[in-house]
Amino acid sequence: MKLLLAIVQDKDSNLLSSELIDANIRATKLSTTGGFLKSGNTTFIVGIEDERVPEALKIIEKTCQAREQFMIPPVNMDATMDSSMSYPIEVQVGGATVFVMPIEQFHRF
């Protein structure tokens, strides 16, 4: 057995949840926040058999694509007025961060 922790952008979470259900992969969803943009994320916790890990990873990769987004960087209050003018920059968002960990025991009651 393996434990998957998949951190995805909120925009991808509903579609990923549906895809996992269609594949008969049970998952628990947690709302999380963090990252460079301090944006909303969803963390999926999945207990899965070793042989199904590649299937789950493929679903996550297919569903959670990285994309470009514009953001305005935070203003530095110590800087002079000219250098504190913030202009939008393009950053990559989305995708998924997935941790695959061994499970010593797994019980479902």
Side-chain angles (χ1 to χ4, degrees):
M1 290 292 292
K2 297 286 189 225
L3 176 69
L4 302 182
L5 293 179
I7 303 159
V8 305
Q9 195 175 34
D10 279 346
K11 289 181 180 180
D12 298 323
S13 67
N14 287 334
L15 181 58
L16 178 57
S17 183
S18 295
E19 293 290 325
L20 292 173
I21 289 168
D22 290 346
N24 199 27
I25 297 173
R26 296 178 181 204
T28 298
K29 288 173 52 173
L30 300 174
S31 290
T32 54
T33 304
F36 174 66
L37 300 177
K38 306 223 184 312
S39 59
N41 297 313
T42 300
T43 300
F44 287 82
I45 302 172
V46 181
I48 192 165
E49 297 83 8
D50 289 355
E51 60 274 2
R52 294 198 68 198
V53 169
E55 174 189 1
L57 292 175
K58 188 174 183 178
I59 291 169
I60 295 167
E61 181 179 18
K62 177 184 75 166
T63 307
C64 304
Q65 294 293 314
R67 53 196 163 273
E68 301 296 320
Q69 174 179 316
F70 284 95
M71 67 152 306
I72 297 175
V75 175
N76 181 357
M77 298 308 256
D78 293 333
T80 65
M81 192 58 139
D82 290 340
S83 64
S84 67
M85 300 282 291
S86 293
Y87 297 98
I89 60 171
E90 193 172 24
V91 295
Q92 186 175 10
V93 297
T97 301
V98 183
F99 299 91
V100 180
M101 298 168 278
I103 295 178
E104 189 173 317
Q105 293 185 14
F106 177 82
H107 303 279
R108 184 176 297 143
F109 300 110

